[in-house]
Amino acid sequence: MDFRLLRYFIAVAEELHLARAAERLGIEQSPVSRAMRDLESQLGVQLFDRSTRLTRLTWAGQVFLGECRRVQATVEQAVKSAKAAAQGYQSHLRIAICDGLAQPRIATLLARSREDEPEMEIRVFELPFAQQLKTLHDDLLDIGFALSNAVHDGLVAEPVWTDPLSVIVPARHPLLAHVQVPLAEALKFPLVLCHPESGSGCRHQIQALLQDAGTPLKLVDEVTSLGVMLTLVGAGYGIGFAIASQVQTLQRPDISIRPLAGSPPVLSTYMLRRRGEPSEPMKRFIERAKGGRDRACR
């Protein structure tokens, strides 16, 4: 398998648009289109659903995207490890952030860690929740940040902060008549939610919160990432739910964000790690994270 095909596939799968993927890769569109046909031919499976005007991933494509991200992260980590070893680094942390979780709080935590310990190398990867669990288990990762605590044996999930849940709607939508949207009104519309085994892991929390409302959910699609969810919402397939700070930084003209009325439900962000005594660099990083949580609570 040519690693170039995997890079091309990730770009196309995340953009769901050949021209944008080609621009992101810095190449012409035709080689990208040809590469996707070659990849599907090599695998013997259909990765994209081209039966509609909107290009979408098949379920096989969604699964393959998760695995490709893991391969890409592993290769990038190997390159960084070699460079770090050549430069004499002896202590490092490998930290993963889920799709859409590049929050200011995480940036502040990373900046403080670099300031406190400039000699320690911190490598940051973007990995979906399911891949974080795999890489933590395989000792390819030290700490992960996700929106789920549904970890298996051998891992620990500690809450570090909470954020209110917001509703994401197309730029023109009846719910925009509300400054704050009642949850019962939102649940009258079709929903686009992240797949339980993909994305940031938020599905576990969001589904529990929505089911508490006592209204049957009108689920029209399950996606692998925040980006794909926003694309389908912007195209009018349905509405979605997310942390407002995740979406606001993207500045997309095809969607709008509304807070939920009343006391909005909140999503917890969790810090994931292997069970057992953490290394000294990990202990110090965990202390900083908990310190930031305590300051946020005050």
Side-chain angles (χ1 to χ4, degrees), residues 11 34 43 57 90 95 124 156-157 183 190 232 235 240 242 287 296:
R34 186 167 55 252
L43 295 175
L57 286 170
Q90 295 184 352
I95 297 172
V124 181
V156 176
L183 182 57
L232 295 186
E287 288 172 2

Side-chain angles (χ1 to χ4, degrees), residues 56-59 62 191-198 203 207 219-225 228-229 232:
R56 299 171 60 187
L57 286 170
T58 63
W59 175 238
Q62 294 181 40
L191 302 179
V192 180
L193 299 179
C194 283
H195 191 275
E197 302 303 324
S198 303
R203 174 64 177 275
Q207 182 146 354
L219 183 62
V220 296
D221 213 333
E222 295 179 314
V223 296
T224 57
S225 69
V228 177
M229 186 266 278
L232 295 186

Side-chain angles (χ1 to χ4, degrees), residues 227-269:
V228 177
M229 186 266 278
L230 297 181
T231 296
L232 295 186
V233 170
Y237 280 71
I239 67 170
F241 293 91
I243 295 171
S245 61
Q246 290 179 272
V247 182
Q248 286 168 339
T249 57
L250 301 178
Q251 298 179 341
R252 294 180 57 136
D254 56 340
I255 59 171
S256 294
I257 308 166
R258 285 290 188 270
L260 291 167
S263 298
V266 296
L267 294 185
S268 296
T269 297

